[in-house]
Amino acid sequence: MRTGSIARVLGLAAALAALLTTAFMAPAMAGKHDATDSPSAAAAPASFTHPGVLVSRPQLDFVRGKVQAGAQPWKGAYDQMLASPYASLSRTAKPRAVVECGSYSNPNNGCTDEREDALAAYTLSLAWYISQDGRYAQKAIQIMDVWSGVIKDHTNSNAPLQTGWAGSSWPRAAEIIKYTYGNWPASGRFGTMLRDVYLPKVANGSNSNGNWELSMTEAAIGIAVFLEDRGAYDRAVGKFRGRVPAYIYVTADGSLPKAAPGSGLDTREKIINYWQGQSTFVDGLSQETCRDLTHTGYGLSAISHIAETSRIQGQDLYPEVADRLRHALGLHAKYQLGEKVPSSLCGGSLKDSLGPVTEVGFNALHNRMGYAMTNTQTLTERQRPAASNNLFVAWETLTHADNPN
């Protein structure tokens, strides 16, 4: 073969090798690029775990065993739950086609009814699993069915938050009933309700106070699990990752807290105003600390709930937020327990209390991850058995106190 022909053959071989190398490398490089630019793109599990919104079957089995053994604090928490109106087998649900909620639920056209019926469905589902008394499951189904057959929309200024609160409780109940009781003919209609009425209101988040968007995100991730909607799950995790660093400050953030994507908080003045006028920032301070501890508790609770659901689904978000959440729980617990508030923090005065919201985060961070959380532990144990805030939190001493699963 002539020299020129040999050169041409070698050149073609080299070009072909380069082409093959590029072809084989491209997917790996693209995957790496996508993971970097869109950290939540692969958040959803390949297959969803059920029941898997806030509580899992192993967690429920742990609780059931403790209650059957009469062990505390679970037996006392269970008795407290069964004595509440939410566990009543004679409850009459009050569905309506349009739930209208203005600021602070004024007007209140179905707002309280919806939230409390959703909490009742969840309460009854827990009572079913722990007691194995089918009457509780049937009552939960009845409540969910009457709502799924009627509701069409949420309106007025508090509609996103209302949808987030009720939409956080419904999937917890639905997951337990569908996957542990099973005899629920209208479960598909309930799923359609979640997809058509609730998910559109919560999926895109909110630029209001952080507890709004966090509660909406909690609803979105729970609905995504029930619907097995990987896209909705990924969007919820993306919202979570953007909002948590903008809700809880840690000193690593620098001189100012982070701003949530799309918030428009692009100056020091805007950020301080958004943080209720607070200009001195300490580890664990929340965007709503200087507003009051109750709204702060809503935000911290939703963060814990979202992380707990993600852990059940196989992608644990706790490590991403652990430092912020442990500092936040500890800071607010310390002052709720009576330590004097310095003048540099909210003018030396804090209002209200966190509410029954510390069990889930404390169990995850202290018992599972090993963080020392003395103030949070003291407050958590003092508040046991934690009841309900009548909005979207219920019975968390029962479900999560010292739960290793």
Coordinates of all heavy atoms in Angstrom, one line a residue, residues 7 14 37 41 51 77 80 84 89 99 126 132 135 138 160 162 197 203 212-213 272 297 322 331 342 375:
A7 N -1.6 6.7 5.1 CA -1.9 7.8 5.9 C -3.4 8.1 6.0 O -4.0 8.5 7.0 CB -1.2 9.1 5.3
A14 N -8.4 7.2 13.1 CA -8.3 8.1 14.2 C -9.6 8.9 14.3 O -10.1 9.1 15.4 CB -7.1 9.1 14.0
D37 N -26.3 21.4 37.2 CA -27.2 22.6 36.9 C -28.6 22.4 37.5 O -29.2 23.4 37.9 CB -27.3 22.8 35.4 CG -26.0 23.4 34.8 OD1 -25.1 23.6 35.6 OD2 -26.0 23.5 33.6
A41 N -33.2 17.5 39.7 CA -33.7 16.8 38.5 C -33.9 15.3 38.7 O -34.8 14.7 38.2 CB -32.7 17.0 37.3
P51 N -47.1 3.0 52.4 CA -47.4 4.5 52.6 C -46.1 5.2 52.8 O -45.2 4.7 53.5 CB -48.3 4.4 53.9 CG -47.9 3.2 54.6 CD -47.6 2.2 53.5
A77 N -50.2 9.2 74.1 CA -50.5 10.0 72.9 C -51.6 9.4 72.1 O -52.4 10.1 71.5 CB -49.2 10.0 72.1
Q80 N -54.9 10.2 73.8 CA -55.2 11.6 73.6 C -55.8 11.7 72.2 O -56.8 12.4 72.0 CB -53.9 12.4 73.7 CG -54.1 13.9 73.3 CD -52.7 14.5 73.0 OE1 -51.9 13.9 72.2 NE2 -52.5 15.6 73.5
S84 N -60.0 12.8 70.9 CA -60.2 14.1 70.2 C -61.4 14.0 69.2 O -61.7 12.9 68.8 CB -58.9 14.5 69.4 OG -58.9 13.7 68.2
L89 N -66.2 8.6 65.3 CA -66.8 7.8 64.2 C -68.2 8.4 63.8 O -68.8 7.9 62.8 CB -67.0 6.4 64.7 CG -65.7 5.6 64.8 CD1 -66.0 4.3 65.5 CD2 -65.1 5.4 63.5
V99 N -64.0 26.6 48.5 CA -63.5 27.0 49.8 C -62.9 28.4 49.7 O -61.9 28.6 48.9 CB -62.5 26.1 50.4 CG1 -62.0 26.6 51.7 CG2 -63.1 24.7 50.5
L126 N -54.7 6.8 61.2 CA -53.8 6.3 62.2 C -54.5 5.4 63.2 O -54.0 4.3 63.6 CB -53.2 7.5 63.0 CG -52.2 8.4 62.2 CD1 -51.9 9.6 63.1 CD2 -51.0 7.6 61.8
Q132 N -56.4 -1.6 64.0 CA -56.9 -2.6 63.0 C -58.5 -2.7 63.1 O -59.0 -3.7 62.7 CB -56.3 -3.9 63.2 CG -54.8 -3.9 62.9 CD -54.4 -3.6 61.4 OE1 -54.7 -4.4 60.6 NE2 -53.8 -2.4 61.2
R135 N -63.7 0.2 61.2 CA -64.6 1.3 61.3 C -63.9 2.6 61.1 O -64.4 3.6 60.5 CB -65.4 1.3 62.6 CG -66.3 0.2 62.8 CD -67.0 0.2 64.2 NE -66.0 0.2 65.2 CZ -66.2 0.6 66.5 NH1 -67.4 1.0 66.9 NH2 -65.2 0.5 67.4
Q138 N -63.1 3.0 57.4 CA -64.3 3.4 56.6 C -64.8 4.8 56.8 O -65.2 5.5 55.9 CB -65.5 2.4 57.0 CG -65.3 1.0 56.4 CD -65.4 1.0 54.9 OE1 -66.3 1.7 54.3 NE2 -64.6 0.3 54.3
P160 N -53.8 30.0 48.5 CA -52.6 29.1 48.4 C -52.2 28.5 49.7 O -51.8 27.3 49.8 CB -51.5 30.1 47.9 CG -52.2 31.2 47.3 CD -53.5 31.4 48.1
Q162 N -54.2 28.0 52.4 CA -55.3 27.0 52.8 C -55.1 25.7 52.0 O -55.2 24.6 52.6 CB -56.6 27.6 52.4 CG -57.8 26.6 52.6 CD -58.2 26.3 54.0 OE1 -57.8 27.0 54.9 NE2 -58.9 25.2 54.2
V197 N -57.4 20.0 41.8 CA -57.8 21.1 42.6 C -56.6 21.6 43.5 O -56.5 22.8 43.7 CB -59.0 20.6 43.5 CG1 -59.4 21.8 44.5 CG2 -60.1 20.2 42.7
A203 N -48.0 24.0 43.5 CA -46.8 23.5 42.8 C -45.8 24.6 42.5 O -44.6 24.4 42.5 CB -47.2 22.8 41.5
W212 N -45.6 30.1 54.1 CA -46.5 29.8 53.0 C -45.9 28.8 52.0 O -46.5 27.8 51.7 CB -46.9 31.1 52.3 CG -47.9 32.0 52.8 CD1 -48.0 32.4 54.1 CD2 -49.1 32.5 52.2 NE1 -49.1 33.2 54.3 CE2 -49.8 33.3 53.1 CE3 -49.5 32.4 50.9 CZ2 -51.0 33.9 52.8 CZ3 -50.7 33.1 50.5 CH2 -51.4 33.8 51.5
E213 N -44.8 29.2 51.5 CA -44.2 28.4 50.4 C -43.8 27.0 51.0 O -43.9 26.0 50.3 CB -43.0 29.0 49.8 CG -42.4 28.3 48.6 CD -41.6 29.1 47.7 OE1 -42.2 29.7 46.8 OE2 -40.4 29.2 47.9
I272 N -33.7 43.0 55.0 CA -34.0 43.3 56.4 C -35.4 43.6 56.6 O -36.0 43.1 57.6 CB -33.1 44.5 56.8 CG1 -31.6 44.1 56.9 CG2 -33.6 45.1 58.2 CD1 -30.7 45.2 57.2
G297 N -43.0 28.3 63.7 CA -43.2 26.9 63.9 C -43.8 26.2 62.7 O -43.5 25.1 62.4
A322 N -29.8 20.0 57.8 CA -29.6 19.6 59.2 C -29.0 20.7 60.1 O -29.5 21.0 61.2 CB -28.8 18.4 59.4
L331 N -32.6 27.4 68.9 CA -32.7 28.8 69.2 C -34.1 29.2 69.8 O -34.2 29.8 70.8 CB -32.4 29.6 68.0 CG -32.5 31.2 68.1 CD1 -31.3 31.7 68.9 CD2 -32.6 31.8 66.8
P342 N -32.1 38.7 74.1 CA -31.2 39.8 74.1 C -31.9 41.0 73.3 O -32.7 40.7 72.4 CB -29.9 39.3 73.4 CG -30.4 38.2 72.6 CD -31.5 37.5 73.4
N375 N -31.8 21.9 74.4 CA -33.0 22.8 74.5 C -34.2 22.2 73.8 O -35.4 22.2 74.3 CB -32.7 24.2 74.0 CG -31.8 24.9 74.9 OD1 -31.9 24.9 76.1 ND2 -30.8 25.6 74.3

